[in-house]
Amino acid sequence: MLREFVLLRAGECLIDQSQLLTGTPVGKMVRVPIWMYLLRGDDALLLVDTGMPPECVGNPRFFADEEDGDQIQPQMRPEDAVDRVLDRVGLQTEDLDGVISTHWHFDHAGGNRLLRAAPLLVHPEEAQSFAGEDPPPWVDLQREMRYVGDSEQPMPGVQILHTPGHTPGHLSLLLTLPSSRPILLTIDACYTARNWFENVPGAMADAERGMRSVARLREIAQAASAAVFFGHDAAQAGEEQWGALAR
């Protein structure tokens, strides 16, 4: 069963607030945390997401050549790469039994190719959404993948939730631990508490599916009396704030 949940900070990103809160004016940049999550069970060690790609190190202009590229500015240091983040907690990439890849945006899947020894757990819709395209460098459609579906449990105490909208194969997670409240990881179905409590969507590829996913997550959180951890909420970035939420 799931014994330990560890938040792993993996850098930051400056992002235009209009990306986090649909309908707000363009032009205000806000600083948000980038996360990985370590799940330690009786017989398995899983990592959720892998942060930004190495190309972002010291390169806030990584997206400068793209349309609206100035609205996303990575703030990545060498120690924010996935192998260095794992090293901070005494682990090597070879120690992982699997990587739950919630979706393939640069700040969640950027380090996937550095963890080739571990199978990648991904929803089939996420992989299919890149079929026939020229994928970004952090997406490798030829690597070992294991498709996971809604309500699947890669280990006892870890429930996969398919929450499409932000991307077609987006995943959230419900964690059940022996020593705390259940924890709901919304990932990017809800970037921040404002998305959640004010019903203001963040950036979504499919807004209709996304809002249905958020409504479902609210029902799950209420039924489980779960602590909710949002994908990029700066107010939850400190251990003290998260510890108070999880009690």
Side-chain angles (χ1 to χ4, degrees), residues 163-181:
T163 49
H166 183 68
T167 68
H170 186 277
L171 300 177
S172 304
L173 296 170
L174 181 64
L175 310 178
T176 303
L177 292 132
S179 57
S180 75
R181 296 168 60 190

Side-chain angles (χ1 to χ4, degrees), residues 140-161:
D140 180 2
L141 296 174
Q142 306 305 314
R143 68 163 295 160
E144 180 185 359
M145 286 185 281
R146 177 187 149 201
Y147 289 149
V148 292
D150 189 64
S151 298
E152 188 167 337
Q153 294 193 35
M155 75 164 68
V158 178
Q159 183 180 358
I160 298 286
L161 302 170

Side-chain angles (χ1 to χ4, degrees), residues 10-243:
E12 299 176 324
C13 191
L14 289 174
I15 185 169
D16 196 284
Q17 184 174 257
S18 63
Q19 298 291 311
L20 301 176
L21 299 164
T22 299
T24 56
V26 175
K28 180 181 178 181
M29 301 297 287
V30 295
R31 188 176 297 272
V32 300
I34 306 298
W35 296 110
M36 306 174 199
Y37 312 90
L38 190 67
L39 308 178
R40 193 185 302 272
D42 290 329
D43 302 308
L45 185 67
L46 301 178
L47 183 68
V48 181
D49 288 342
T50 60
M52 295 181 281
E55 292 90 342
C56 287
V57 171
N59 185 15
R61 303 283 292 165
F62 181 71
F63 293 104
D65 294 334
E66 298 187 14
E67 185 178 359
D68 299 326
D70 57 340
Q71 294 186 10
I72 300 177
Q73 300 173 19
Q75 308 290 298
M76 185 181 183
R77 306 162 300 171
E79 56 265 36
D80 297 322
V82 61
D83 53 345
R84 298 278 295 276
V85 171
L86 289 172
D87 184 64
R88 291 205 309 259
V89 290
L91 295 172
Q92 297 180 328
T93 58
E94 296 80 16
D95 296 325
L96 298 173
D97 296 297
V99 176
I100 300 175
S101 191
T102 65
H103 63 295
W104 286 354
H105 284 168
F106 86 104
D107 54 330
H108 291 262
N112 282 4
R113 69 186 188 273
L114 302 180
L115 301 177
R116 299 191 64 85
L120 201 66
L121 281 61
V122 63
H123 192 276
E125 281 196 51
E126 197 69 12
Q128 290 162 8
S129 69
F130 284 86
E133 295 186 4
D134 183 18
W138 56 87
V139 172
D140 180 2
L141 296 174
Q142 306 305 314
R143 68 163 295 160
E144 180 185 359
M145 286 185 281
R146 177 187 149 201
Y147 289 149
V148 292
D150 189 64
S151 298
E152 188 167 337
Q153 294 193 35
M155 75 164 68
V158 178
Q159 183 180 358
I160 298 286
L161 302 170
H162 180 214
T163 49
H166 183 68
T167 68
H170 186 277
L171 300 177
S172 304
L173 296 170
L174 181 64
L175 310 178
T176 303
L177 292 132
S179 57
S180 75
R181 296 168 60 190
I183 298 168
L184 178 65
L185 302 178
T186 68
I187 312 297
D188 283 2
C190 274
Y191 289 129
T192 72
R194 287 190 64 184
N195 301 130
W196 183 264
F197 292 110
E198 299 179 22
N199 204 32
V200 179
M204 294 183 180
D206 187 325
E208 184 176 346
R209 290 184 88 187
M211 294 308 289
R212 287 201 302 267
S213 292
V214 173
R216 181 190 177 207
L217 288 175
R218 288 197 188 98
E219 292 175 357
I220 290 170
Q222 182 175 11
S225 297
V228 183
F229 193 84
F230 305 109
H232 297 286
D233 196 320
Q236 292 182 322
E239 292 183 8
E240 181 179 345
Q241 293 94 323
W242 170 243

